[in-house]
Amino acid sequence: MDIGWNAQNGNLENIKANYQEQYEPRPKPEAKERTPILRKVNKLLCLSVAAAYIGSLFSQGALWTVFTTYLFFIAIWLLMIGGALLVLEGGMFDGMMYSFRHFKKHTSKQEAYISRQTKEWRPSRTGRHKFSLTYPFLFSGGALFLFTVAASLAQ
């Protein structure tokens, strides 16, 4: 009885098909079309300038001074939001969230019962989060901040 390569019963074709399924690179699924960063930055800049202008129209005082003041506050908020998103992306609070989940798991009666029955508990660590607006917030906030500083020095 010969168990070797036998082209008559299709062993060679099956081996080739299995090899291709396991080791050939699969085509990657098409990625979602993302909005470029500059488009998001432009939208944030336009919204910020419009909000500052509308706010300065309803305020008392010199229009330019009030406009740059509102724009400065908006820039600071954009920078703070972008910085907070950047810190969250970096995973600074992953350990804290892990410990909260661990604490909740051991203080809950139902979870303690399940843990005792299965004799196994491994809290899952969350993966890194990526936010699509982190860098647009930082770039637009930084640009507005630099603009307002230059505008205040020019007065």
Side-chain angles (χ1 to χ4, degrees), residues 43-72:
K43 285 180 184 178
L44 283 172
L45 287 174
C46 290
L47 287 173
S48 301
V49 169
Y53 182 71
I54 290 171
S56 64
L57 287 178
F58 295 111
S59 297
Q60 295 178 355
L63 183 66
W64 179 252
T65 306
V66 174
F67 175 72
T68 55
T69 303
Y70 279 131
L71 207 56
F72 177 78

Side-chain angles (χ1 to χ4, degrees), residues 11 27 31 42 51-52 61-62 66 73 76 92 108 112-113 119 124 130:
N11 286 340
N42 285 338
V66 174
F73 288 133
I76 292 298
M92 184 172 186
S108 169
Y113 177 74
K119 295 185 171 118
S124 62
K130 289 288 183 186

Side-chain angles (χ1 to χ4, degrees), residues 5-107:
W5 300 99
N6 189 353
Q8 291 176 349
N9 61 11
N11 286 340
L12 186 60
E13 286 80 19
N14 289 340
I15 291 172
K16 283 182 183 178
N18 287 339
Y19 176 81
Q20 286 177 346
E21 286 178 10
Q22 291 178 0
Y23 299 109
E24 298 275 328
R26 295 180 184 161
K28 293 182 179 178
E30 291 184 26
K32 298 186 300 186
E33 185 175 327
R34 292 186 168 187
T35 307
I37 290 178
L38 288 178
R39 188 174 298 161
K40 291 178 184 177
V41 169
N42 285 338
K43 285 180 184 178
L44 283 172
L45 287 174
C46 290
L47 287 173
S48 301
V49 169
Y53 182 71
I54 290 171
S56 64
L57 287 178
F58 295 111
S59 297
Q60 295 178 355
L63 183 66
W64 179 252
T65 306
V66 174
F67 175 72
T68 55
T69 303
Y70 279 131
L71 207 56
F72 177 78
F73 288 133
I74 291 172
I76 292 298
W77 275 105
L78 290 174
L79 282 172
M80 285 192 306
I81 292 169
L85 291 176
L86 190 66
V87 167
L88 287 175
E89 276 184 8
M92 184 172 186
F93 298 109
D94 285 349
M96 190 180 305
M97 296 304 292
Y98 176 81
S99 66
F100 282 141
R101 266 185 266 127
H102 184 74
F103 179 74
K104 181 184 176 282
K105 194 80 163 181
H106 287 296
T107 57

